[in-house]
Amino acid sequence: MPRDASELSRRLARHAEAVCRHYLSNGRRRGRYWTVGDVRNTPGRSMFVRLSGPESGPGAAGHWTDAASAEYGDLLDVIRESCGLVDFHDVADEARRFLSLPRVEPYGAPKPVRTPVPAGSPEAAQRLFAMSQPIRRTLVETYLRSRSIMNLRDAGSLRFHPRCYYRPEGDGPTETWPAMVAAVTDLEGRITGAHRTWLARDGSGKAPVDTPRRAMGGLLGHGVRFGAADDVLAAGEGIETMLSLRCALPAMPMVAALSANHLAALLLPPKLRRLYIVRDADAAGDTALATLTEHAEAAGIEALALSPRMGDFNEDLRAFGLRALRRTLRIQLMPQDCCFTYR
């Protein structure tokens, strides 16, 4: 059986319609294309898979485009996304398994088997993150820039999902909205949870739903990380707050704990020697600051507060601009840490 990605892709392309019937079972053939809602097998017609053509290059069989989200790829991507797989090793194994099945074309191919995972579990969070895409040139960039956040380096913990399910409280119907999906990780980098921020369809702000932010999986002690912490770390509550701070301190590792309670319970890296606690200017922020300071000092870690002029540092960034934010921070940093303002 083939081992490398290009050969697997070519082999799958020879059976493009069978692949689509198996993994994109909610779609249908329309002329020379298979149409479906998206690569995650959502019902609809915005995604087009080419069923015939050369084995490689422009117009190759198996190449697909989603007109709604601008996603594109080949049949290996179809297998990865429709099955919720993360590692290429698993994708390749599933592709080889499919290629070893008896061909039943064009009708009667079985639906893919997906192992169910508990809703809201770490496994469900891992699948959601794996099924999302990098944020470059997506509505996540649009949304963050509307919040004056322009520096998106080292933002690999953030991804974009074009149609993330939103279930209202009570008996309301399930909706789909674009979403910013953030990976919550432990100190070893393992994904333990995910945080979703549902977005307006043009990315101009949050979606008009009752609770546009929700988290799932294991959150306690963990967070959304930007950069790798060594001996200095900044920790705060919200993702936008920490990304705003990162605009002014682009070289400083940071973590967003997602709430005041989770900030107070944040687990700290064993080699950490100085912790900057990014406080929100409210009662919950004061409590989190006091609790985390006590925990840090008990572990022999120097703890210092970074305080905004307004409610949080994103408000400061939007109200006063980046230069003013950098000046505010400089007087609160230890002199040796001013180097984090440059990159």
mmCIF file of all heavy atoms in Angstrom, residues 244-249 254 276 278 306-308 313 322-334 338 341:
data_model
loop_
_atom_site.group_PDB
_atom_site.id
_atom_site.type_symbol
_atom_site.label_atom_id
_atom_site.label_comp_id
_atom_site.label_asym_id
_atom_site.label_seq_id
_atom_site.Cartn_x
_atom_site.Cartn_y
_atom_site.Cartn_z
ATOM 1 N N SER A 244 -3.867 41.927 23.145
ATOM 2 C CA SER A 244 -3.597 43.371 23.179
ATOM 3 C C SER A 244 -2.267 43.645 23.852
ATOM 4 O O SER A 244 -1.455 44.455 23.379
ATOM 5 C CB SER A 244 -4.720 44.099 23.920
ATOM 6 O OG SER A 244 -5.953 43.913 23.281
ATOM 7 N N LEU A 245 -2.032 42.960 24.970
ATOM 8 C CA LEU A 245 -0.758 43.110 25.663
ATOM 9 C C LEU A 245 0.389 42.652 24.778
ATOM 10 O O LEU A 245 1.471 43.252 24.765
ATOM 11 C CB LEU A 245 -0.796 42.286 26.956
ATOM 12 C CG LEU A 245 0.211 42.662 28.037
ATOM 13 C CD1 LEU A 245 -0.173 43.985 28.671
ATOM 14 C CD2 LEU A 245 0.270 41.578 29.098
ATOM 15 N N ARG A 246 0.155 41.605 24.008
ATOM 16 C CA ARG A 246 1.201 41.065 23.146
ATOM 17 C C ARG A 246 1.549 42.024 22.006
ATOM 18 O O ARG A 246 2.661 41.981 21.472
ATOM 19 C CB ARG A 246 0.766 39.708 22.598
ATOM 20 C CG ARG A 246 1.898 38.888 22.031
ATOM 21 C CD ARG A 246 1.484 37.440 21.876
ATOM 22 N NE ARG A 246 2.513 36.663 21.205
ATOM 23 C CZ ARG A 246 3.620 36.218 21.776
ATOM 24 N NH1 ARG A 246 3.840 36.477 23.043
ATOM 25 N NH2 ARG A 246 4.500 35.516 21.092
ATOM 26 N N CYS A 247 0.609 42.877 21.622
ATOM 27 C CA CYS A 247 0.938 43.908 20.630
ATOM 28 C C CYS A 247 2.040 44.828 21.155
ATOM 29 O O CYS A 247 2.888 45.293 20.388
ATOM 30 C CB CYS A 247 -0.307 44.731 20.299
ATOM 31 S SG CYS A 247 -1.562 43.847 19.348
ATOM 32 N N ALA A 248 2.024 45.104 22.450
ATOM 33 C CA ALA A 248 3.022 45.983 23.049
ATOM 34 C C ALA A 248 4.253 45.223 23.530
ATOM 35 O O ALA A 248 5.349 45.788 23.603
ATOM 36 C CB ALA A 248 2.405 46.747 24.218
ATOM 37 N N LEU A 249 4.087 43.947 23.892
ATOM 38 C CA LEU A 249 5.191 43.127 24.400
ATOM 39 C C LEU A 249 5.292 41.862 23.533
ATOM 40 O O LEU A 249 5.000 40.755 23.992
ATOM 41 C CB LEU A 249 4.940 42.741 25.857
ATOM 42 C CG LEU A 249 4.764 43.882 26.857
ATOM 43 C CD1 LEU A 249 4.340 43.335 28.216
ATOM 44 C CD2 LEU A 249 6.046 44.690 26.976
ATOM 45 N N MET A 254 2.875 34.504 26.973
ATOM 46 C CA MET A 254 1.640 34.867 27.668
ATOM 47 C C MET A 254 0.676 33.706 27.685
ATOM 48 O O MET A 254 0.750 32.797 26.858
ATOM 49 C CB MET A 254 0.987 36.078 26.997
ATOM 50 C CG MET A 254 1.866 37.312 26.988
ATOM 51 S SD MET A 254 1.017 38.765 26.359
ATOM 52 C CE MET A 254 2.381 39.958 26.460
ATOM 53 N N TYR A 276 4.096 38.073 35.626
ATOM 54 C CA TYR A 276 3.315 39.303 35.530
ATOM 55 C C TYR A 276 1.836 38.913 35.475
ATOM 56 O O TYR A 276 1.407 38.202 34.561
ATOM 57 C CB TYR A 276 3.693 40.107 34.285
ATOM 58 C CG TYR A 276 5.047 40.772 34.384
ATOM 59 C CD1 TYR A 276 6.159 40.219 33.768
ATOM 60 C CD2 TYR A 276 5.210 41.960 35.104
ATOM 61 C CE1 TYR A 276 7.408 40.821 33.859
ATOM 62 C CE2 TYR A 276 6.462 42.576 35.201
ATOM 63 C CZ TYR A 276 7.548 42.001 34.580
ATOM 64 O OH TYR A 276 8.787 42.603 34.674
ATOM 65 N N VAL A 278 -1.778 39.963 34.829
ATOM 66 C CA VAL A 278 -2.502 40.992 34.082
ATOM 67 C C VAL A 278 -3.911 41.071 34.647
ATOM 68 O O VAL A 278 -4.741 40.203 34.411
ATOM 69 C CB VAL A 278 -2.523 40.646 32.583
ATOM 70 C CG1 VAL A 278 -3.214 41.755 31.799
ATOM 71 C CG2 VAL A 278 -1.097 40.428 32.071
ATOM 72 N N LEU A 306 0.258 43.898 36.402
ATOM 73 C CA LEU A 306 0.160 44.841 35.290
ATOM 74 C C LEU A 306 -1.275 45.347 35.268
ATOM 75 O O LEU A 306 -2.207 44.560 35.099
ATOM 76 C CB LEU A 306 0.513 44.166 33.958
ATOM 77 C CG LEU A 306 1.962 43.699 33.790
ATOM 78 C CD1 LEU A 306 2.150 43.049 32.423
ATOM 79 C CD2 LEU A 306 2.938 44.857 33.964
ATOM 80 N N SER A 307 -1.450 46.652 35.459
ATOM 81 C CA SER A 307 -2.792 47.211 35.628
ATOM 82 C C SER A 307 -3.140 48.137 34.475
ATOM 83 O O SER A 307 -2.339 49.002 34.092
ATOM 84 C CB SER A 307 -2.884 47.994 36.941
ATOM 85 O OG SER A 307 -2.616 47.141 38.042
ATOM 86 N N PRO A 308 -4.340 47.997 33.895
ATOM 87 C CA PRO A 308 -4.763 48.885 32.803
ATOM 88 C C PRO A 308 -5.258 50.214 33.332
ATOM 89 O O PRO A 308 -5.578 50.360 34.518
ATOM 90 C CB PRO A 308 -5.910 48.090 32.165
ATOM 91 C CG PRO A 308 -6.515 47.356 33.326
ATOM 92 C CD PRO A 308 -5.359 46.981 34.224
ATOM 93 N N PHE A 313 -6.814 45.714 29.165
ATOM 94 C CA PHE A 313 -5.820 46.251 28.239
ATOM 95 C C PHE A 313 -6.333 46.356 26.808
ATOM 96 O O PHE A 313 -5.792 47.129 26.018
ATOM 97 C CB PHE A 313 -4.539 45.413 28.298
ATOM 98 C CG PHE A 313 -3.673 45.759 29.467
ATOM 99 C CD1 PHE A 313 -3.530 44.889 30.529
ATOM 100 C CD2 PHE A 313 -3.011 46.978 29.517
ATOM 101 C CE1 PHE A 313 -2.739 45.227 31.624
ATOM 102 C CE2 PHE A 313 -2.213 47.327 30.601
ATOM 103 C CZ PHE A 313 -2.071 46.447 31.661
ATOM 104 N N LEU A 322 -1.402 52.050 20.523
ATOM 105 C CA LEU A 322 -0.310 51.158 20.904
ATOM 106 C C LEU A 322 0.821 51.886 21.612
ATOM 107 O O LEU A 322 1.378 51.379 22.594
ATOM 108 C CB LEU A 322 0.224 50.452 19.651
ATOM 109 C CG LEU A 322 1.365 49.463 19.862
ATOM 110 C CD1 LEU A 322 0.978 48.369 20.847
ATOM 111 C CD2 LEU A 322 1.794 48.849 18.527
ATOM 112 N N ARG A 323 1.210 53.058 21.154
ATOM 113 C CA ARG A 323 2.323 53.770 21.800
ATOM 114 C C ARG A 323 2.001 54.092 23.250
ATOM 115 O O ARG A 323 2.848 53.927 24.136
ATOM 116 C CB ARG A 323 2.640 55.050 21.028
ATOM 117 C CG ARG A 323 3.288 54.810 19.666
ATOM 118 C CD ARG A 323 3.679 56.116 19.021
ATOM 119 N NE ARG A 323 4.314 55.906 17.734
ATOM 120 C CZ ARG A 323 4.748 56.887 16.940
ATOM 121 N NH1 ARG A 323 4.592 58.159 17.333
ATOM 122 N NH2 ARG A 323 5.317 56.606 15.784
ATOM 123 N N ALA A 324 0.790 54.556 23.503
ATOM 124 C CA ALA A 324 0.400 54.878 24.882
ATOM 125 C C ALA A 324 0.365 53.611 25.731
ATOM 126 O O ALA A 324 0.778 53.627 26.905
ATOM 127 C CB ALA A 324 -0.956 55.573 24.895
ATOM 128 N N LEU A 325 -0.108 52.510 25.161
ATOM 129 C CA LEU A 325 -0.134 51.254 25.908
ATOM 130 C C LEU A 325 1.277 50.812 26.261
ATOM 131 O O LEU A 325 1.546 50.380 27.392
ATOM 132 C CB LEU A 325 -0.829 50.169 25.083
ATOM 133 C CG LEU A 325 -0.843 48.754 25.684
ATOM 134 C CD1 LEU A 325 -1.532 48.753 27.041
ATOM 135 C CD2 LEU A 325 -1.525 47.777 24.742
ATOM 136 N N ARG A 326 2.199 50.958 25.320
ATOM 137 C CA ARG A 326 3.585 50.573 25.593
ATOM 138 C C ARG A 326 4.181 51.431 26.702
ATOM 139 O O ARG A 326 4.901 50.937 27.570
ATOM 140 C CB ARG A 326 4.402 50.672 24.309
ATOM 141 C CG ARG A 326 5.779 50.055 24.410
ATOM 142 C CD ARG A 326 6.475 50.026 23.070
ATOM 143 N NE ARG A 326 5.962 48.960 22.219
ATOM 144 C CZ ARG A 326 5.535 49.122 20.978
ATOM 145 N NH1 ARG A 326 5.523 50.334 20.446
ATOM 146 N NH2 ARG A 326 5.108 48.100 20.278
ATOM 147 N N ARG A 327 3.867 52.728 26.712
ATOM 148 C CA ARG A 327 4.371 53.603 27.774
ATOM 149 C C ARG A 327 3.789 53.194 29.124
ATOM 150 O O ARG A 327 4.495 53.188 30.145
ATOM 151 C CB ARG A 327 4.023 55.064 27.464
ATOM 152 C CG ARG A 327 4.846 55.687 26.339
ATOM 153 C CD ARG A 327 4.700 57.204 26.340
ATOM 154 N NE ARG A 327 3.318 57.617 26.084
ATOM 155 C CZ ARG A 327 2.825 57.875 24.876
ATOM 156 N NH1 ARG A 327 3.604 57.739 23.801
ATOM 157 N NH2 ARG A 327 1.570 58.260 24.728
ATOM 158 N N THR A 328 2.499 52.865 29.145
ATOM 159 C CA THR A 328 1.868 52.421 30.397
ATOM 160 C C THR A 328 2.561 51.185 30.954
ATOM 161 O O THR A 328 2.768 51.057 32.168
ATOM 162 C CB THR A 328 0.378 52.118 30.149
ATOM 163 O OG1 THR A 328 -0.284 53.326 29.754
ATOM 164 C CG2 THR A 328 -0.283 51.560 31.400
ATOM 165 N N LEU A 329 2.924 50.266 30.074
ATOM 166 C CA LEU A 329 3.530 49.014 30.514
ATOM 167 C C LEU A 329 4.979 49.195 30.950
ATOM 168 O O LEU A 329 5.431 48.530 31.894
ATOM 169 C CB LEU A 329 3.439 47.973 29.396
ATOM 170 C CG LEU A 329 2.020 47.478 29.101
ATOM 171 C CD1 LEU A 329 1.988 46.699 27.798
ATOM 172 C CD2 LEU A 329 1.502 46.630 30.252
ATOM 173 N N ARG A 330 5.709 50.057 30.274
ATOM 174 C CA ARG A 330 7.138 50.217 30.582
ATOM 175 C C ARG A 330 7.371 50.591 32.040
ATOM 176 O O ARG A 330 8.321 50.124 32.666
ATOM 177 C CB ARG A 330 7.761 51.279 29.666
ATOM 178 C CG ARG A 330 8.194 50.745 28.311
ATOM 179 C CD ARG A 330 8.878 51.839 27.509
ATOM 180 N NE ARG A 330 9.425 51.317 26.276
ATOM 181 C CZ ARG A 330 10.603 50.746 26.147
ATOM 182 N NH1 ARG A 330 11.372 50.606 27.216
ATOM 183 N NH2 ARG A 330 11.036 50.313 24.984
ATOM 184 N N ILE A 331 6.511 51.431 32.586
ATOM 185 C CA ILE A 331 6.736 51.866 33.958
ATOM 186 C C ILE A 331 6.323 50.786 34.966
ATOM 187 O O ILE A 331 6.606 50.910 36.154
ATOM 188 C CB ILE A 331 5.976 53.184 34.251
ATOM 189 C CG1 ILE A 331 4.470 52.990 34.099
ATOM 190 C CG2 ILE A 331 6.471 54.294 33.341
ATOM 191 C CD1 ILE A 331 3.659 54.223 34.487
ATOM 192 N N GLN A 332 5.669 49.731 34.488
ATOM 193 C CA GLN A 332 5.264 48.643 35.379
ATOM 194 C C GLN A 332 6.164 47.417 35.263
ATOM 195 O O GLN A 332 6.097 46.522 36.106
ATOM 196 C CB GLN A 332 3.815 48.229 35.080
ATOM 197 C CG GLN A 332 2.798 49.354 35.263
ATOM 198 C CD GLN A 332 1.376 48.884 35.023
ATOM 199 O OE1 GLN A 332 0.852 48.039 35.761
ATOM 200 N NE2 GLN A 332 0.728 49.438 34.008
ATOM 201 N N LEU A 333 7.012 47.380 34.235
ATOM 202 C CA LEU A 333 7.904 46.239 34.028
ATOM 203 C C LEU A 333 9.190 46.396 34.819
ATOM 204 O O LEU A 333 9.657 47.522 35.067
ATOM 205 C CB LEU A 333 8.260 46.107 32.548
ATOM 206 C CG LEU A 333 7.155 45.718 31.566
ATOM 207 C CD1 LEU A 333 7.680 45.811 30.143
ATOM 208 C CD2 LEU A 333 6.620 44.327 31.858
ATOM 209 N N MET A 334 9.788 45.274 35.190
ATOM 210 C CA MET A 334 11.152 45.314 35.694
ATOM 211 C C MET A 334 12.065 45.788 34.568
ATOM 212 O O MET A 334 11.837 45.433 33.398
ATOM 213 C CB MET A 334 11.573 43.929 36.177
ATOM 214 C CG MET A 334 10.786 43.430 37.372
ATOM 215 S SD MET A 334 11.123 44.391 38.872
ATOM 216 C CE MET A 334 12.778 43.783 39.252
ATOM 217 N N CYS A 338 12.152 45.056 29.872
ATOM 218 C CA CYS A 338 11.740 45.984 28.813
ATOM 219 C C CYS A 338 12.153 45.470 27.436
ATOM 220 O O CYS A 338 11.619 45.934 26.421
ATOM 221 C CB CYS A 338 12.345 47.361 29.060
ATOM 222 S SG CYS A 338 11.589 48.235 30.469
ATOM 223 N N THR A 341 9.552 44.363 24.790
ATOM 224 C CA THR A 341 8.794 45.268 23.942
ATOM 225 C C THR A 341 9.303 45.265 22.516
ATOM 226 O O THR A 341 8.698 45.893 21.643
ATOM 227 C CB THR A 341 8.849 46.712 24.492
ATOM 228 O OG1 THR A 341 10.209 47.148 24.529
ATOM 229 C CG2 THR A 341 8.252 46.777 25.884
#
